[in-house]
């Protein structure tokens, strides 16, 4: 490609709203442009990087036995109502109506579509196992799109879905996918870690792992053991305790109001109904639903500006997240063991989550309490009994290692779903004995566009991006110092032609620009090797620049060619 024709304008400065390195550099180097909040155009350089990532993902998915297909983004809303996720996703779900006023959603993920497809395609165990995947656009109306490609409202995902007849089959498929993910992230040159995770809105009954690119800008905190291979997202790091922690003086709740709110609630409804206001100093939620009672208390003098309620009834989970200074988040997990057991997660010293039973006076399905005041209505003395993952604390698994915390960017997430979707959407197969059983599913996502941002975040210096060779938009950048110089033109053109013939993706900077501009732009774009065709070209020599090591060498043109081929 000749740079004189390339649609790639470099910017000296990044727009003020770009706060992270990847966002600033991808804009400045001419890889992406914003159309609206969380919605981006990939310019030619950006598209090439995406294609590199996609190619690696395709190779590894195909090698793992998955088959590529492509499913529609426009999905009938009924399908989402049937799976009961229409409400769970709430405002994150992009909705639209067609000319007949039929309701559609723009798919944030494709469990519903694939499960309903499989219902019609596969009816016998003989046709299983099957794993399919696609690479396509997803839509999520994120509350706070941020950091460029990192949290888009329209973004690229690879999503795969597996169908097995039994859990053993799923275990095999899952471990094959796990290994494929390891190879993908290694090939992309990422520093990453696989961690035990929390199933979130995808739900399911089994194991789940997230793949985290390690980075200070990561939104997730991971606890890692120094001795064993335990690593977990703190959303998931388990804290178990006994019924002793249940507090008592709540039987008499003078000022708290008990009210009936049947059905599944969206976050916004919940905020309204429980009168959660940002300026509140103490937040209290007490909830009974699905036969269980939760109390979630978040205390602090900070703003709780995001309340996330996932699987509100289905998986017995409530999560509160505070993106402010405290990172207060509490997730009551689905591992609930009964009316007197507790299973909870603490994410910050100022956030307290407790799941209890029979303490709130609500005591009935679909009743809530609001305006409960901790201390007045019940006390939290025994909360100290809760074990929590602490920086420097003891590993909950081996009991020997010490935990340290890292920040991670979630680039992939794999789940053992079990029958969550196949039961709701009726995807069953007949077994050898002629019995009809729901298929056992798994699902496996990679944020393709987020991965591009994560690699950019991990690979840069003060001058710009430094792409790993496997993802670089071009392998070699030829910089012709003076386009007026005929000797240089002849040498640069010959080199360009030779490399192109040898299949080396090459960008030729043939612009009529000063040498300084060319060097700056080249470093900003982050192409792994620059070959400088300048005055020494008359003697058959070029300057060979390695972007990562920032080293320079004057070598013969022939030597430069053999190094990059
Ligand atoms: P997050 O916790 O960051 O919101 P998620 O858990 O909601 O992500 P999943 O439903 O697990 O996301 O989707 C699979 C993958 O898609 C994620 O691991 C992530 O890499 C990517 N992804 C999710 N949301 C976005 C987004 N808004 N922009 C870009 N990539 C995303
Ligand atoms: Mg999300
Ligand atoms: Mg997540
Ligand atoms: Mg996830």
């Amino acid at each position: 490609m000749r740079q004189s024709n390339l649609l790639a304008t470099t910017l000296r400065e990044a727009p003020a709203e770009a706060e992270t390195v990847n966002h600033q550099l991808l804009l400045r180097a001419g890889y992406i442009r914003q159309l609206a909040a969380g919605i981006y155009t990939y310019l030619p350089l950006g598209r090439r990087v995406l294609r590199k990532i996609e190619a690696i993902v395709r190779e590894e998915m195909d090698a793992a036995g998955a088959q590529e297909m492509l499913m529609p983004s426009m999905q009938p809303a009924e399908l989402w109502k049937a799976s009961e996720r229409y409400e769970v996703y709430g405002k994150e779900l992009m909705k639209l109506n067609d000319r007949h006023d039929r309701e559609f959603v723009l798919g944030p993920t494709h469990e519903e579509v694939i499960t309903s497809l499989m219902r019609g395609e596969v009816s016998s165990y003989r046709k299983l196992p099957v794993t399919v995947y696609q690479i396509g656009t997803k839509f999520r109306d994120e509350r706070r799109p941020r950091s460029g490609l990192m949290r888009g409202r329209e973004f690229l995902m690879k999503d795969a879905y597996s169908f097995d007849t039994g859990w053993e089959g799923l275990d095999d498929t899952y471990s094959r996918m796990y290994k494929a993910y390891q190879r993908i992230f290694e090939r992309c040159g990422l520093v990453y870690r696989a961690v035990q995770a929390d199933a979130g809105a995808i739900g399911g009954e089994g194991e789940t792992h997230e793949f985290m690119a390690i980075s200070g800008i990561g939104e997730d905190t991971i606890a890692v053991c120094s001795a064993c291979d335990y690593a977990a997202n703190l959303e998931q790091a388990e804290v178990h305790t006994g019924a002793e922690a249940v507090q008592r003086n709540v039987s008499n709740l003078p000022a708290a109001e008990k009210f009936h709110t049947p059905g599944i609630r969206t976050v916004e409804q919940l905020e309204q109904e429980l009168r959660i206001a940002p300026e509140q100093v103490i937040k209290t939620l007490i909830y009974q639903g699905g036969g269980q009672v939760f109390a979630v208390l978040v205390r602090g003098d900070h703003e709780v500006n995001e309340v996330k309620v996932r699987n509100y009834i289905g998986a017995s989970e409530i999560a509160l997240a505070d993106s402010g200074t405290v990172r207060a988040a509490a997730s009551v997990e689905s591992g609930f063991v009964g009316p007197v057991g507790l299973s909870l997660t603490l994410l910050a010293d100022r956030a307290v989550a407790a799941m209890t039973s029979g303490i709130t006076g609500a005591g009935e399905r679909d009743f809530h309490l609001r305006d409960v005041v901790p201390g007045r209505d019940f006390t939290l003395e025994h909360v100290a009994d809760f074990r929590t993952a602490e920086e420097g604390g003891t590993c909950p698994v081996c009991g020997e290692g010490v935990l340290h915390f890292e920040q991670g960017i979630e680039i992939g997430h794999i789940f053992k779903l079990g029958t969550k979707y196949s039961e709701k959407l009726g995807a069953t197969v007949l077994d050898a004995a002629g019995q009809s059983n729901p298929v056992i599913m798994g699902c496996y996502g990679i944020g393709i566009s987020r991965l591009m941002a994560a690699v950019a975040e991990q690979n840069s210096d003060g001058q710009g991006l430094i792409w790993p060779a496997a993802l670089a938009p071009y392998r070699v950048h030829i910089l012709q110092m003076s386009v007026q110089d005929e000797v240089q033109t002849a040498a640069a053109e010959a080199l360009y032609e030779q490399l192109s013939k040898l299949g080396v993706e090459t960008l030729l900077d043939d612009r009529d620009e000063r040498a300084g501009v060319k060097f700056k732009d080249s470093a900003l774009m982050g192409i792994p090797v620059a070959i400088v065709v300048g005055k020494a070209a008359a003697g058959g020599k070029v300057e060979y620049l390695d972007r990562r090591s920032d080293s320079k060498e004057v070598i013969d043109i022939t030597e430069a060619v053999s190094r990059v081929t």
Side-chain angles (χ1 to χ4, degrees):
M1 180 73 204
R2 290 169 192 282
Q3 207 167 331
S4 53
N5 293 332
L6 182 69
L7 182 64
T9 311
T10 55
L11 312 172
R12 204 159 293 177
E13 302 215 354
E17 73 271 11
E19 288 171 355
T20 52
V21 167
N22 78 84
H23 191 192
Q24 291 166 353
L25 291 178
L26 290 172
L27 285 169
R28 282 187 53 212
Y31 283 74
I32 60 169
R33 290 291 181 258
Q34 180 177 307
L35 177 66
I39 303 178
Y40 287 84
T41 295
Y42 302 96
L43 294 168
L45 289 174
R47 182 71 191 112
R48 290 181 76 94
V49 175
L50 284 178
R51 290 182 84 103
K52 296 283 169 76
I53 299 171
E54 290 171 11
I56 291 172
V57 169
R58 282 200 172 90
E59 276 175 36
E60 297 299 342
M61 283 295 113
D62 292 347
Q67 310 167 45
E68 185 168 2
M69 55 189 281
L70 186 59
M71 290 179 269
S73 286
M74 246 178 105
Q75 309 176 0
E78 295 91 79
L79 208 44
W80 283 76
K81 290 177 180 162
S83 71
E84 291 169 24
R85 283 211 297 181
Y86 190 82
E87 296 290 346
V88 171
Y89 257 89
K91 286 204 167 162
E92 208 167 297
L93 207 53
M94 292 274 195
K95 303 176 178 100
L96 69 153
N97 286 33
D98 71 6
R99 64 167 73 202
H100 307 294
D101 219 28
R102 280 192 281 257
E103 228 189 311
F104 285 84
V105 309
L106 294 178
T109 172
H110 279 73
E111 282 80 12
E112 281 77 2
V113 176
I114 190 68
T115 310
S116 73
L117 179 92
M118 292 307 270
R119 182 177 56 206
E121 299 301 314
V122 172
S123 54
S124 157
Y125 73 98
R126 285 199 200 94
K127 288 201 175 171
L128 297 181
V130 165
T131 301
V132 295
Y133 76 98
Q134 63 174 351
I135 294 177
T137 303
K138 297 283 188 274
F139 299 86
R140 294 183 184 185
D141 198 356
E142 299 278 358
R143 198 177 258 253
R144 266 191 303 278
R146 68 176 279 272
S147 197
L149 303 182
M150 210 58 97
R151 185 170 293 287
R153 294 196 297 161
E154 173 173 335
F155 60 97
L156 273 178
M157 198 202 285
K158 183 285 298 180
D159 45 328
Y161 306 89
S162 69
F163 300 84
D164 282 274
T165 46
W167 278 92
E168 308 74 48
L170 174 59
D171 291 345
D172 284 352
T173 307
Y174 188 88
S175 88
R176 227 169 334 111
M177 282 290 160
Y178 188 106
K179 287 177 193 144
Y181 272 47
Q182 290 177 312
R183 282 191 294 272
I184 289 167
F185 299 130
E186 270 153 34
R187 288 179 65 182
C188 290
L190 270 172
V191 180
Y192 77 97
R193 208 185 264 290
V195 306
Q196 294 173 24
D198 178 277
I202 306 284
E205 308 146 47
E207 227 179 330
T208 168
H209 287 90
E210 285 165 342
F211 290 80
M212 293 286 183
I214 305 304
S215 164
I217 68 154
E219 292 181 15
D220 290 277
T221 305
I222 312 161
V224 181
C225 175
S226 60
C228 70
D229 59 7
Y230 175 75
N233 189 327
L234 276 200
E235 275 178 15
Q236 196 269 351
E238 279 180 41
V239 183
H240 292 285
T241 185
E244 315 81 65
V246 175
Q247 299 307 300
R248 232 149 301 267
N249 51 336
V250 285
S251 49
N252 173 24
L253 293 166
E257 189 184 343
K258 175 175 165 181
F259 66 111
H260 189 225
T261 47
I264 297 173
R265 332 219 63 70
T266 64
V267 175
E268 286 73 21
Q269 285 169 326
L270 204 89
E271 283 173 350
Q272 272 180 4
E273 286 167 4
L274 301 187
R275 297 181 188 147
I276 297 169
E279 60 281 4
Q280 268 183 284
V281 172
I282 296 174
K283 316 283 170 201
T284 305
L285 304 180
I286 296 184
Y287 170 69
Q288 152 129 37
Q292 297 161 1
V293 181
F294 312 125
V296 176
L297 315 172
V298 176
R299 323 207 287 157
D301 53 1
H302 55 89
E303 241 186 44
V304 174
N305 47 15
E306 182 174 311
V307 178
K308 242 172 158 178
V309 180
R310 299 157 161 175
N311 295 356
Y312 191 49
I313 287 179
S316 318
E317 185 186 53
I318 296 182
L320 282 140
D322 164 26
S323 66
T325 49
V326 182
R327 288 189 65 79
S331 160
V332 180
E333 293 169 53
S334 48
F336 187 56
V337 289
V340 290
L342 300 175
S343 170
L344 58 111
T345 304
L346 304 189
L347 272 201
D349 50 356
R350 294 156 84 192
V352 177
M355 174 153 59
T356 64
S357 178
I359 64 156
T360 65
E364 287 162 63
R365 189 181 177 116
D366 293 335
F367 274 86
H368 291 72
L369 288 176
R370 66 185 158 208
D371 301 336
V372 174
V373 179
R376 181 194 68 192
D377 301 325
F378 60 97
T379 53
L380 296 168
E381 279 128 53
H382 293 90
V383 164
D385 293 343
F386 296 158
R387 274 192 300 128
T388 181
E390 273 171 40
E391 178 101 64
T394 308
C395 172
V397 173
C398 68
E400 282 170 16
V402 174
L403 296 179
H404 77 272
F405 287 2
E406 294 175 356
Q407 295 306 114
I409 300 165
E410 183 191 325
I411 44 172
H413 198 165
I414 59 178
F415 305 79
K416 287 184 184 173
L417 293 172
T419 57
K420 173 174 172 181
Y421 296 93
S422 49
E423 271 179 25
K424 289 206 171 95
L425 299 168
T428 57
V429 285
L430 296 177
D431 64 18
Q435 287 283 316
S436 171
N437 300 306
V439 288
I440 310 290
M441 292 173 57
C443 75
Y444 316 88
I446 291 181
I448 301 279
S449 46
R450 182 182 285 184
L451 178 55
M452 172 171 163
V455 173
E457 188 69 32
Q458 285 186 350
N459 294 274
S460 74
D461 63 10
Q463 303 181 74
L465 296 160
I466 307 177
W467 290 109
L471 300 195
Y474 292 94
R475 276 293 316 284
V476 175
H477 202 175
I478 300 174
L479 310 181
Q480 186 184 339
M481 293 291 92
S482 164
V483 290
Q484 269 81 40
D485 184 315
E486 279 166 26
V487 176
Q488 287 185 30
T489 302
E493 291 288 337
L495 180 59
Y496 176 59
E497 199 171 311
Q498 191 180 6
L499 292 180
S500 303
K501 274 211 185 107
L502 290 167
V504 180
E505 294 165 302
T506 304
L507 180 64
L508 169 63
D509 192 347
D510 58 345
R511 296 173 304 163
D512 189 6
E513 288 284 359
R514 285 180 292 114
V517 170
K518 296 195 177 194
F519 282 118
K520 272 215 172 96
D521 282 353
S522 178
L524 183 57
M525 286 177 180
I527 297 168
V529 171
I531 298 176
V532 183
V533 178
K535 290 209 175 81
K541 303 255 184 208
V542 288
E543 205 174 8
Y544 187 94
L545 309 183
D546 181 90
R547 177 69 185 89
R548 191 171 289 274
S549 65
D550 206 16
S551 62
K552 286 179 204 171
E553 255 181 286
V554 176
I555 56 175
D556 287 340
I557 293 183
T558 47
E559 164 69 9
V561 171
S562 67
R563 280 194 196 180
V564 296
T565 48

